[in-house]
Amino acid sequence: MTDSDPQAGAGGADSTTVAVAKPAPVIDPSTVVAVHDVHKHYTLPRETLWRDPTLVHAVNGVTFTIEKGGSFGVVGESGCGKSTLARCVMGLETLTQGSVEFRGQNIHALPVEELRQLRRHFQMVFQDPFGSLDPRMKVARIVAEPIEALEDTKLDERRARVIEVLRAVGLKESDTDKYPHEFSGGQRQRIAIARALITRPALIVADEPVSALDVSVQAQVLNLLQDLQDEFGVTYLLISHDLAVVKFVCDEVAVMNEGVFVERGPTEEIFANPQHDYTKTLLAAVPQIGG
Amino acid sequence: MTLLAVDNLTVTLNTVRGPARAVRNLSFELEKGQTLGIVGESGCGKSLTALAIMGLLPENGWADGTVKLAGENLLTYSEDQMCQVRGNRIGMVFQEPMTSLNPLHTVGRQIAEAMRLHRGVNKAEARTEVLRLLDMVGIPEPTKRINSYPHQLSGGQRQRVMIAMALSCGPELLIADEPTTALDVTIQKQILDLIRNLIEDLGMAMILISHNLGVIYQNVQDVIVMYGGARVESGPTHDVFANLSHPYSQGLFEAVPQIDDTKASRRRLRTIPGTVPELADLPAGCTFQDRCDYVTDACRPTQPPVVQIAAGHNVACLHVDAARKQWAAR
Ligand SMILES: Nc1ncnc2c1ncn2[C@@H]1O[C@H](COP(=O)(O)OP(=O)(O)O)[C@@H](O)[C@H]1O
Ligand SMILES: Nc1ncnc2c1ncn2[C@@H]1O[C@H](COP(=O)(O)OP(=O)(O)O)[C@@H](O)[C@H]1O
Ligand SMILES: [Mg+2]
Ligand SMILES: [Mg+2]
């Protein structure tokens, strides 16, 4: 008896042993990532021997897809589960329930080596441009790292790729021989983005990529994200607590609260005409200039 | 009546690269009950200005000029005298309440101590007063919370406790340095609304420091925009935002995405080329010269003149006319 035998479950005598397969989400060929009913629960260490350990429902049933070249934003306040969701999508966390399909492949079901190979197609950029770069490595190595592990590229070809992505993010060839501390916060975030780009990924997951930056520098990085999309058709999953940042970059947005999406839709529409009370509260709290 | 008069305040720091002027010739006045915002990107000298007023500069720094509180120059005060001023006459709230609260003591005890130190009230009176203050800053169930330790409170509640402490001695001036920067946007709104209402009810003056233009716009009557330790533009908040005139203020405004922008209206943000200069390398003349679209040789040798473009609206720029024209035509 196999799952592929449609008669087995219905006609068989012992139908209880047959797993009723949930319908797998239908993947459109232009879909880059499909997140289906993802749950991530953490067990906190028990405070006392007599009390049950606490379960944190960090992500509690989230579903969405991002099409090729799209930019999907997730906004919400601290602790609502944004970073956990990002790590789930990146395959950096096991899931409590649900699935994440990248170009039709369930990444959490892949063998380790296959996942490692697939990783070049989806890369992550973190908030902290200071913590995420190894201070002992020169920029050339930092940026080349993702391809070093994956590809058997020759040294000069690798160098050419490094220079290409550094240029794409507005840095110079001469920057390859410098260390991270020789750069400003915005430049370090550019280095992190260059590293994410070097594998020519289809998807970039960016978790609060501009939150640690001053506004004039933040503007440079936001413009860069737009340019990369225009030029290379990169797909984004952008996580931010800043509604204006998400509005600027994303064409679709989800508002997250306590592990779930309370509202989701085209950015302009959600911002112009929020339906959920939480979205309304969030929007009303943003201090605006004028009005 | 003038409550605070800061005149030609300069803060110098001894750094490994020699003395550096982190605040340069800053002057402003604050009336009783008036609210003033100081806005600018990190490193522009906002916190050092606040610390200089409160006599809390770091060991390697000193202040020149005058800081007069009701006519008395605080810069000539002894540490003992400044101790009396802080708490009694000037209250302070900082960005990260966790570092200013003692983790080992209950919040009730910490507020009471501040009060007993400065006001000489007895224990029972202090308790009644602490409960009143906790209630005033919107802490639910004050009789319970008075016994809480800082780590048992949320970030927003800790900031409310800090505000209660700052107000415990009925100061005439509150200095709030990035009081909501570490908080979520909905909590930020609650805390700012609370501060604004208390200030108004108690008739206090306030200096609110923030890097966030929206926070400044919504919460203060007057604003100073700082860059590289210097005031580049100042005036009544609504006038300044309606007629941004210094190239730096204009650039700052255009760099920030707004939630009421539409994708069609703004596909690119304006950026300010270059980076903030190192303190020790700050140029003579205008501090913004190396990043400014309007710079000419005349900007380099001497500090720019302060031009009044409307009542109370001042701009420190040689090319303010050109910058205004361009801005109006954008
Ligand atoms: N590794 C972990 N172990 C236990 N709890 C966690 C872990 N990571 C996150 N959490 C909890 O999950 C919730 C969501 O966290 P997070 O995804 O970091 O939120 P956000 O990024 O929106 O601020 C929080 O309550 C957080 O404390
Ligand atoms: N103790 C110190 N020693 C040396 N430099 C300092 C010290 N404190 C602040 N600075 C420098 O002085 C400048 C102004 O700092 P600050 O007033 O804290 O800026 P802001 O509050 O506007 O971000 C910055 O360049 C900062 O690095
Ligand atoms: Mg996070
Ligand atoms: Mg500061």
Side-chain angles (χ1 to χ4, degrees), chain B residues 109-240:
Chain B
R109 176 167 164 190
Q110 294 185 58
I111 303 173
E113 245 162 37
M115 235 159 15
R116 279 156 67 189
L117 194 67
H118 292 290
R119 281 170 42 180
V121 293
N122 69 34
K123 237 176 155 165
E125 287 167 340
R127 187 184 153 83
T128 315
E129 187 59 11
V130 169
L131 289 173
R132 188 185 71 80
L133 285 165
L134 287 177
D135 185 56
M136 182 176 81
V137 297
I139 300 261
E141 300 186 89
T143 48
K144 236 177 170 170
R145 284 304 178 193
I146 195 170
N147 295 318
S148 297
Y149 290 87
H151 76 268
Q152 295 173 313
L153 304 177
S154 67
Q157 283 182 331
R158 282 199 288 266
Q159 202 53 294
R160 288 176 193 268
V161 168
M162 284 306 298
I163 293 167
M165 271 170 84
L167 300 184
S168 63
C169 298
E172 300 140 86
L173 169 64
L174 178 72
I175 299 182
D177 187 355
E178 306 269 8
T180 56
T181 301
L183 303 174
D184 274 323
V185 61
T186 56
I187 312 294
Q188 162 167 285
K189 180 166 166 52
Q190 292 167 13
I191 296 290
L192 290 173
D193 289 350
L194 172 73
I195 291 178
R196 222 183 34 245
N197 290 333
L198 288 173
I199 291 290
E200 210 178 298
D201 292 351
L202 303 175
M204 292 168 63
M206 169 169 72
I207 297 176
L208 176 66
I209 292 174
S210 178
H211 67 283
N212 184 314
L213 293 172
V215 164
I216 293 295
Y217 185 90
Q218 293 290 339
N219 291 286
V220 290
Q221 297 158 339
D222 291 87
V223 61
I224 293 176
V225 183
M226 282 182 79
Y227 181 83
R231 175 181 69 170
V232 296
E233 182 160 1
S234 62
T237 307
H238 289 228
D239 295 350
V240 169

Side-chain angles (χ1 to χ4, degrees), chain B residues 4 6 9-13 22-24 26-28 30 36-39 43-58 62-64 66-69 74-75 79 82 85-87 89-95 173-179 206-210 224 226 229:
Chain B
L4 184 75
V6 172
L9 175 67
T10 294
V11 175
T12 313
L13 297 166
V23 178
R24 307 172 134 203
L26 186 66
S27 302
F28 63 86
L30 200 58
L36 171 74
I38 301 181
V39 69
C44 72
K46 305 182 296 295
S47 292
L48 286 176
T49 300
L51 294 173
I53 294 170
M54 297 183 300
L56 290 174
L57 284 176
W62 67 92
D64 293 303
T66 57
V67 174
K68 287 188 178 165
L69 183 66
L74 299 182
L75 296 187
E79 177 51 27
M82 271 321 285
V85 170
R86 291 192 294 267
R89 303 182 61 193
I90 306 179
M92 314 164 262
V93 180
F94 298 104
Q95 170 172 344
L173 169 64
L174 178 72
I175 299 182
D177 187 355
E178 306 269 8
M206 169 169 72
I207 297 176
L208 176 66
I209 292 174
S210 178
I224 293 176
M226 282 182 79

Side-chain angles (χ1 to χ4, degrees), chain A residues 77-78 214-216 218-220 222-223 226-227 230 244 247-250 268 282 284-290, chain B residues 41-42 184-186 188-189 213-214 217-218 241 252 255 257-261 263 266-269 271-272:
Chain A
E77 297 188 290
S78 56
D214 265 319
V215 290
S216 68
Q218 165 180 306
Q220 297 169 11
L222 291 177
N223 283 342
Q226 303 272 39
D227 293 346
D230 293 346
K247 175 133 191 248
F248 182 72
V249 178
C250 301
E268 298 287 350
L282 211 52
V286 177
Q288 290 196 67
I289 302 168
Chain B
E41 293 178 282
S42 60
D184 274 323
V185 61
T186 56
Q188 162 167 285
K189 180 166 166 52
L213 293 172
Y217 185 90
Q218 293 290 339
F241 279 93
L252 196 61
Q258 301 290 328
I259 57 168
D260 53 3
D261 287 344
K263 256 215 145 122
R266 197 132 68 132
R267 176 70 183 157
R268 291 190 70 77
L269 297 167
T271 60
I272 302 171

